[in-house]
Structure formats: structure tokens, C-alpha cells
Amino acid sequence: MRNERADRRDFWPIRNYLLTHELDDQSFYGFFSPKFTYKTGLNHADLAGFVEQHGAKHDVLAFSPFWDLNSLFLNPFLQGELFHPGLFSAAQAFCQTMGWNIDLARQVMHSDNTIFCNYFVAKKRFWLRWLEMGEKLFVAAEDPASPMYAPLNAPTTYSTQDVTVKIFLQERLVSLVLLQDGFSSRAYDIFSLNPSITPLNQFFDQAVAANALKQRYAANPVGPELKQFEQLQRGIFDPGPAPQTPSQSAG
């Protein structure tokens, strides 16, 4: 709540807590902004019940809003590029600095590993990996000599606010860890939560279908689901005008 580093948003208090507290191996930890209930419609009892039901089998439990932004894009990095130009190239470059040979444009991600707003709880093992990546991103964005400094601190679109690309890449650290490191995750039913306030929120049925196609393809990437997803996506984006820049999107 103190907002000591406004340029870092949620990352700053999360980082400070993780650096100054010893975590219990089996406990879940989460950090939620004051807008959590407004963005999701959930309360503490909803979170506690979901953790009680699924915590024994998973490292990460997600409570991510914006089912439209989650489902109607192949992954949150491509989604982010539409709403926050410059994000995708910065994310791809960061992967390279981590030594990952990964093409983000081809990664099929879905509700269980796409998380917006840092609305998730996780166990110690996950948070330590998240912090390790976060520290590398933090240093790169603080050091003018780093090749990542300029792209991470480049201004980008977010309503009328003055923000930089690093904010939206920090928010997607959780998805990068889930994409790379084999942690088990499960999401609260995203379709019972709130969508974005973009024009994409009118495509509920298409979003449900799109998410299911991505989940099936991720489980068995040899079937027709990816082509079916791409066809569904073209049906949304090609016939009409491109989605307007939102006053509230993921982040």
C-alpha cells in the first residue's frame, strides 16, 4: 500500500517480502492488490476454499480475471503486444538472456498457466524460482549498461497512465516460470470471473471454445486443435475492427 516504487507496481512489495521472510515449504503465499475483488468478484473465502480443494496436488493456484484476454490469444505475450506495444520483443529478448531457446510466438498457453495481475498463490519452491527470474529482470531494468535496459524502460500503452514495458513483463513472470519449469498449476474457473472491459468481452462462447482447444493441444500437440483455434481467432479479429485500446486491461 505504501507504493514506494510506483514504477515497479506489485513487483516491489512482493520482492521485498520474499527477500526478507523465510517461507514455509508447504504453505501457499499470495499478494493481491486492493482491486482484487473488483477485478475478479472473489473474496477471501473463495480463495481459501479453492486452496483447500486443490492445494495438495499443485504448486500454483491462479485466480486470474479477464477470460477474454486469456482465451482469445495464443499466449499472454502475444496478447500483451496488442495492448502494450514493445512487450513481446522484450519478453523474447529476456528469454534469450535466461539462456532459453524458446519461440514465444509459438507457445500455446491456456487458463491454467496464463495469469494476469499476479493473482495467484504458490508454494516456496515456485516463489524462489520466480524471485530468481525477477532479480535478473530487476537488475537488467535498473542498469543503463544492460542491453535490456532500453526495451524494458520503453514507454508503452496503458490507458492514460505513464508506464513502461517492464511492468507488463514482470506481471508475466509467473507465466514464464510455468511455461519453462514444470510446476503444476490449476486455475479457478476463469469463466466465472470478470472479463476485461474491452470489446473482446462479447465473445464468451468463442472464448470457452478457444480455451478448450488450447488445453487439448497443450496436452497432445499433434491434433487439429491449433488450426481450429487459429480459425476461431480469425473469425473474431478479421471481420471487424481491431479491439480498441482498453482503459483497463491485464495488469
Side-chain angles (χ1 to χ4, degrees), residues 93-150:
F94 180 67
C95 288
Q96 293 173 347
T97 67
M98 294 292 294
W100 296 340
N101 182 23
I102 183 174
D103 181 359
L104 288 179
R106 300 176 63 86
Q107 302 307 306
V108 179
M109 302 181 69
H110 47 77
S111 57
D112 284 327
N113 56 15
T114 297
I115 301 175
F116 295 127
C117 309
N118 288 314
Y119 288 168
F120 67 95
V121 298
K123 293 181 180 177
K124 175 181 178 178
R125 190 168 68 93
F126 179 90
W127 277 117
L128 293 181
R129 179 57 173 154
W130 182 95
L131 181 62
E132 178 187 355
M133 289 178 56
E135 286 298 277
K136 292 181 179 180
L137 186 65
F138 176 80
V139 170
E142 296 283 305
D143 181 8
S146 167
M148 290 293 299
Y149 181 84

Side-chain angles (χ1 to χ4, degrees), residues 39 62 75 81 130 133 155 165 222 224 231 244 246:
K39 287 187 174 182
N75 61 58
E81 181 62 25
W130 182 95
M133 289 178 56
V165 167
V222 295
Q231 182 178 6
Q244 302 171 11

